[in-house]
PDB file of all heavy atoms in Angstrom:
ATOM      1  N   ALA A 210     106.107   5.518  19.801  1.00 88.00           N
ATOM      2  CA  ALA A 210     107.135   6.540  19.742  1.00 88.00           C
ATOM      3  C   ALA A 210     107.580   6.830  21.272  1.00 88.00           C
ATOM      4  O   ALA A 210     106.933   6.551  22.124  1.00 88.00           O
ATOM      5  CB  ALA A 210     106.610   7.739  19.026  1.00 88.00           C
ATOM      6  N   ILE A 211     108.704   7.416  21.253  1.00 87.00           N
ATOM      7  CA  ILE A 211     109.298   7.829  22.439  1.00 87.00           C
ATOM      8  C   ILE A 211     109.547   9.460  22.409  1.00 87.00           C
ATOM      9  O   ILE A 211     110.052   9.937  21.470  1.00 87.00           O
ATOM     10  CB  ILE A 211     110.733   7.221  22.670  1.00 87.00           C
ATOM     11  CG1 ILE A 211     110.475   5.729  22.986  1.00 87.00           C
ATOM     12  CG2 ILE A 211     111.433   7.876  23.908  1.00 87.00           C
ATOM     13  CD1 ILE A 211     111.755   5.029  23.106  1.00 87.00           C
ATOM     14  N   GLY A 212     109.024  10.073  23.453  1.00 85.00           N
ATOM     15  CA  GLY A 212     109.221  11.507  23.643  1.00 85.00           C
ATOM     16  C   GLY A 212     109.730  11.915  24.872  1.00 85.00           C
ATOM     17  O   GLY A 212     109.223  11.501  25.936  1.00 85.00           O
ATOM     18  N   LYS A 213     110.825  12.631  24.833  1.00 79.00           N
ATOM     19  CA  LYS A 213     111.454  12.985  26.219  1.00 79.00           C
ATOM     20  C   LYS A 213     112.422  14.250  25.953  1.00 79.00           C
ATOM     21  O   LYS A 213     112.725  14.524  24.902  1.00 79.00           O
ATOM     22  CB  LYS A 213     112.263  11.871  26.852  1.00 79.00           C
ATOM     23  CG  LYS A 213     113.628  11.667  26.267  1.00 79.00           C
ATOM     24  CD  LYS A 213     114.378  10.511  27.043  1.00 79.00           C
ATOM     25  CE  LYS A 213     114.599  10.821  28.434  1.00 79.00           C
ATOM     26  NZ  LYS A 213     115.413  11.863  28.834  1.00 79.00           N
ATOM     27  N   ARG A 214     112.761  14.751  27.127  1.00 75.00           N
ATOM     28  CA  ARG A 214     113.744  15.948  27.120  1.00 75.00           C
ATOM     29  C   ARG A 214     115.048  15.299  27.547  1.00 75.00           C
ATOM     30  O   ARG A 214     115.134  14.666  28.651  1.00 75.00           O
ATOM     31  CB  ARG A 214     113.242  17.042  28.066  1.00 75.00           C
ATOM     32  CG  ARG A 214     114.098  18.301  27.913  1.00 75.00           C
ATOM     33  CD  ARG A 214     113.543  19.440  28.741  1.00 75.00           C
ATOM     34  NE  ARG A 214     112.217  19.818  28.232  1.00 75.00           N
ATOM     35  CZ  ARG A 214     112.109  20.688  27.293  1.00 75.00           C
ATOM     36  NH1 ARG A 214     113.216  21.201  26.705  1.00 75.00           N
ATOM     37  NH2 ARG A 214     110.932  21.129  26.794  1.00 75.00           N
ATOM     38  N   THR A 215     116.106  15.511  26.804  1.00 75.00           N
ATOM     39  CA  THR A 215     117.320  14.954  27.157  1.00 75.00           C
ATOM     40  C   THR A 215     118.022  15.580  28.377  1.00 75.00           C
ATOM     41  O   THR A 215     117.786  16.673  28.573  1.00 75.00           O
ATOM     42  CB  THR A 215     118.436  15.054  25.950  1.00 75.00           C
ATOM     43  OG1 THR A 215     118.651  16.476  25.660  1.00 75.00           O
ATOM     44  CG2 THR A 215     117.744  14.476  24.613  1.00 75.00           C
ATOM     45  N   ASN A 216     118.835  14.733  29.054  1.00 70.00           N
ATOM     46  CA  ASN A 216     119.393  15.217  30.374  1.00 70.00           C
ATOM     47  C   ASN A 216     120.427  16.129  30.088  1.00 70.00           C
ATOM     48  O   ASN A 216     120.666  17.089  30.825  1.00 70.00           O
ATOM     49  CB  ASN A 216     119.894  14.001  31.194  1.00 70.00           C
ATOM     50  CG  ASN A 216     118.739  13.109  31.638  1.00 70.00           C
ATOM     51  OD1 ASN A 216     117.599  13.546  31.865  1.00 70.00           O
ATOM     52  ND2 ASN A 216     119.090  11.772  31.852  1.00 70.00           N
ATOM     53  N   LYS A 217     121.314  15.962  29.005  1.00 70.00           N
ATOM     54  CA  LYS A 217     122.456  16.735  28.838  1.00 70.00           C
ATOM     55  C   LYS A 217     122.177  18.089  28.309  1.00 70.00           C
ATOM     56  O   LYS A 217     122.710  19.119  28.757  1.00 70.00           O
ATOM     57  CB  LYS A 217     123.450  16.001  27.923  1.00 70.00           C
ATOM     58  CG  LYS A 217     124.728  16.760  27.816  1.00 70.00           C
ATOM     59  CD  LYS A 217     125.761  15.896  27.059  1.00 70.00           C
ATOM     60  CE  LYS A 217     127.136  16.607  26.901  1.00 70.00           C
ATOM     61  NZ  LYS A 217     128.111  15.825  26.173  1.00 70.00           N
ATOM     62  N   THR A 218     121.347  18.138  27.259  1.00 67.00           N
ATOM     63  CA  THR A 218     121.127  19.457  26.527  1.00 67.00           C
ATOM     64  C   THR A 218     119.810  20.077  26.873  1.00 67.00           C
ATOM     65  O   THR A 218     119.553  21.183  26.530  1.00 67.00           O
ATOM     66  CB  THR A 218     121.297  19.307  24.988  1.00 67.00           C
ATOM     67  OG1 THR A 218     120.247  18.390  24.557  1.00 67.00           O
ATOM     68  CG2 THR A 218     122.603  18.675  24.611  1.00 67.00           C
ATOM     69  N   GLY A 219     118.862  19.226  27.414  1.00 68.00           N
ATOM     70  CA  GLY A 219     117.461  19.821  27.655  1.00 68.00           C
ATOM     71  C   GLY A 219     116.686  19.875  26.428  1.00 68.00           C
ATOM     72  O   GLY A 219     115.582  20.497  26.456  1.00 68.00           O
ATOM     73  N   GLN A 220     117.149  19.351  25.306  1.00 73.00           N
ATOM     74  CA  GLN A 220     116.366  19.456  24.007  1.00 73.00           C
ATOM     75  C   GLN A 220     115.253  18.375  24.018  1.00 73.00           C
ATOM     76  O   GLN A 220     115.464  17.243  24.526  1.00 73.00           O
ATOM     77  CB  GLN A 220     117.359  19.264  22.847  1.00 73.00           C
ATOM     78  CG  GLN A 220     118.380  20.270  22.709  1.00 73.00           C
ATOM     79  CD  GLN A 220     117.820  21.645  22.410  1.00 73.00           C
ATOM     80  OE1 GLN A 220     116.848  21.678  21.697  1.00 73.00           O
ATOM     81  NE2 GLN A 220     118.588  22.618  22.898  1.00 73.00           N
ATOM     82  N   THR A 221     114.158  18.680  23.410  1.00 76.00           N
ATOM     83  CA  THR A 221     113.115  17.667  23.182  1.00 76.00           C
ATOM     84  C   THR A 221     113.409  16.706  21.999  1.00 76.00           C
ATOM     85  O   THR A 221     113.750  17.145  20.951  1.00 76.00           O
ATOM     86  CB  THR A 221     111.766  18.419  22.889  1.00 76.00           C
ATOM     87  OG1 THR A 221     111.498  19.282  23.996  1.00 76.00           O
ATOM     88  CG2 THR A 221     110.682  17.367  22.659  1.00 76.00           C
ATOM     89  N   VAL A 222     113.172  15.443  22.305  1.00 78.00           N
ATOM     90  CA  VAL A 222     113.515  14.396  21.389  1.00 78.00           C
ATOM     91  C   VAL A 222     112.107  13.725  21.132  1.00 78.00           C
ATOM     92  O   VAL A 222     111.457  13.232  22.153  1.00 78.00           O
ATOM     93  CB  VAL A 222     114.541  13.383  21.622  1.00 78.00           C
ATOM     94  CG1 VAL A 222     114.587  12.206  20.791  1.00 78.00           C
ATOM     95  CG2 VAL A 222     115.891  14.103  21.734  1.00 78.00           C
ATOM     96  N   TRP A 223     111.612  13.543  19.961  1.00 82.00           N
ATOM     97  CA  TRP A 223     110.437  12.712  19.697  1.00 82.00           C
ATOM     98  C   TRP A 223     110.840  11.838  18.506  1.00 82.00           C
ATOM     99  O   TRP A 223     111.216  12.241  17.467  1.00 82.00           O
ATOM    100  CB  TRP A 223     109.214  13.629  19.392  1.00 82.00           C
ATOM    101  CG  TRP A 223     108.006  12.804  19.252  1.00 82.00           C
ATOM    102  CD1 TRP A 223     107.202  12.396  20.270  1.00 82.00           C
ATOM    103  CD2 TRP A 223     107.363  12.241  18.092  1.00 82.00           C
ATOM    104  NE1 TRP A 223     106.080  11.714  19.843  1.00 82.00           N
ATOM    105  CE2 TRP A 223     106.203  11.516  18.474  1.00 82.00           C
ATOM    106  CE3 TRP A 223     107.806  12.211  16.741  1.00 82.00           C
ATOM    107  CZ2 TRP A 223     105.425  10.901  17.574  1.00 82.00           C
ATOM    108  CZ3 TRP A 223     106.855  11.605  15.858  1.00 82.00           C
ATOM    109  CH2 TRP A 223     105.719  10.893  16.285  1.00 82.00           C
ATOM    110  N   TRP A 224     110.728  10.513  18.762  1.00 85.00           N
ATOM    111  CA  TRP A 224     111.313   9.562  17.812  1.00 85.00           C
ATOM    112  C   TRP A 224     110.373   8.337  17.705  1.00 85.00           C
ATOM    113  O   TRP A 224     110.156   7.600  18.606  1.00 85.00           O
ATOM    114  CB  TRP A 224     112.662   8.983  18.415  1.00 85.00           C
ATOM    115  CG  TRP A 224     113.438   8.166  17.555  1.00 85.00           C
ATOM    116  CD1 TRP A 224     113.473   6.783  17.565  1.00 85.00           C
ATOM    117  CD2 TRP A 224     114.298   8.418  16.425  1.00 85.00           C
ATOM    118  NE1 TRP A 224     114.288   6.233  16.650  1.00 85.00           N
ATOM    119  CE2 TRP A 224     114.920   7.221  15.885  1.00 85.00           C
ATOM    120  CE3 TRP A 224     114.657   9.675  15.836  1.00 85.00           C
ATOM    121  CZ2 TRP A 224     115.739   7.252  14.825  1.00 85.00           C
ATOM    122  CZ3 TRP A 224     115.575   9.632  14.762  1.00 85.00           C
ATOM    123  CH2 TRP A 224     116.050   8.407  14.247  1.00 85.00           C
ATOM    124  N   PRO A 225     109.636   8.206  16.538  1.00 87.00           N
ATOM    125  CA  PRO A 225     108.828   7.069  16.214  1.00 87.00           C
ATOM    126  C   PRO A 225     109.662   5.840  16.250  1.00 87.00           C
ATOM    127  O   PRO A 225     110.724   5.807  15.567  1.00 87.00           O
ATOM    128  CB  PRO A 225     108.301   7.350  14.870  1.00 87.00           C
ATOM    129  CG  PRO A 225     108.395   8.823  14.595  1.00 87.00           C
ATOM    130  CD  PRO A 225     109.631   9.209  15.439  1.00 87.00           C
ATOM    131  N   CYS A 226     109.318   4.898  17.038  1.00 88.00           N
ATOM    132  CA  CYS A 226     110.207   3.680  17.235  1.00 88.00           C
ATOM    133  C   CYS A 226     110.286   2.780  15.902  1.00 88.00           C
ATOM    134  O   CYS A 226     109.267   2.344  15.499  1.00 88.00           O
ATOM    135  CB  CYS A 226     109.689   2.738  18.352  1.00 88.00           C
ATOM    136  SG  CYS A 226     109.924   3.792  19.951  1.00 88.00           S
ATOM    137  N   PRO A 227     111.491   2.523  15.407  1.00 89.00           N
ATOM    138  CA  PRO A 227     111.529   1.564  14.347  1.00 89.00           C
ATOM    139  C   PRO A 227     111.058   0.310  14.768  1.00 89.00           C
ATOM    140  O   PRO A 227     111.012  -0.069  15.965  1.00 89.00           O
ATOM    141  CB  PRO A 227     113.037   1.540  13.976  1.00 89.00           C
ATOM    142  CG  PRO A 227     113.599   2.785  14.546  1.00 89.00           C
ATOM    143  CD  PRO A 227     112.806   3.075  15.789  1.00 89.00           C
ATOM    144  N   ALA A 228     110.733  -0.645  13.852  1.00 90.00           N
ATOM    145  CA  ALA A 228     110.103  -1.962  14.142  1.00 90.00           C
ATOM    146  C   ALA A 228     110.964  -2.801  15.137  1.00 90.00           C
ATOM    147  O   ALA A 228     110.495  -3.330  16.148  1.00 90.00           O
ATOM    148  CB  ALA A 228     109.862  -2.712  12.838  1.00 90.00           C
TER     149      ALA A 228
END
Side-chain angles (χ1 to χ4, degrees):
I211 290 176
K213 79 178 302 291
R214 188 172 294 275
T215 62
N216 292 333
K217 184 173 182 179
T218 65
Q220 299 295 327
T221 298
V222 171
W223 190 82
W224 186 260
C226 295

